[in-house]
Amino acid sequence: MAFLKQPIDSRHPDSRLCAFFALHHFTNGAVDKTMFFEKATNHYLTAFDPSAGVTKELAKSLVEDGNDPSVFQSFNMKQGDVAALEAKGVGIMAAGGHFFTVRKVHGQWTSFDSANHPAPKPYGSLAQLMKAEARNGQIWVGA
């Protein structure tokens, strides 16, 4: 799987799509941007009470804003804990409005935070990775 670098320049439309980049790395590239937008837009169309009046345009705008981890539910994920992450060997961290994949690669826990690293960044342990990057955020794992 190729490491897909997330732009950090706020003028770039993909700079706020960390949920997409996290899912892309989580699925080894199986989630592309078209699939992400389709599923995430449908998530917002169905997540709100119909009386809220969420239109397809508003749902797409919510996807483009990219700061809601509940969208991971549409990709067969659930909120978990450190034990679930260790058991699965891969998950998505949702910390401070930013999302990124963490994965055990060749026995080392590795951050796929493509907004903050030019390549996957290995750590000595999951605890070290979480202390350095996760900031006590949510953990999402495959259901």
Side-chain angles (χ1 to χ4, degrees), residues 86-110:
E86 286 179 322
K88 299 268 185 186
V90 62
I92 292 178
M93 302 303 304
H98 179 58
F99 318 128
F100 56 94
T101 294
V102 297
R103 175 184 303 276
K104 199 167 192 178
V105 178
H106 305 297
Q108 275 193 304
W109 280 96
T110 303

Side-chain angles (χ1 to χ4, degrees), residues 31 41 45 59 98-99 119 125:
V31 171
T41 299
L45 288 171
H98 179 58
F99 318 128
S125 68

Side-chain angles (χ1 to χ4, degrees), residues 61-79:
S61 174
L62 290 169
V63 173
E64 291 169 344
D65 187 44
N67 280 327
D68 177 15
S70 76
V71 76
F72 297 134
Q73 295 169 1
S74 293
F75 293 87
N76 201 29
M77 297 186 77
K78 64 181 181 180
Q79 229 178 315

Side-chain angles (χ1 to χ4, degrees), residues 13-70:
D14 290 353
S15 66
R16 294 183 309 249
L17 293 181
C18 51
F20 159 68
F21 288 90
L23 282 161
H24 179 82
H25 292 121
F26 179 83
T27 63
N28 289 317
V31 171
D32 64 18
K33 205 181 312 181
T34 300
M35 177 193 293
F36 172 74
F37 266 89
E38 181 180 308
K39 280 190 166 193
T41 299
N42 285 333
H43 168 75
Y44 289 117
L45 288 171
T46 59
F48 292 100
D49 184 296
S51 65
V54 176
T55 64
K56 191 164 188 166
E57 292 75 28
L58 177 56
K60 185 178 178 202
S61 174
L62 290 169
V63 173
E64 291 169 344
D65 187 44
N67 280 327
D68 177 15
S70 76

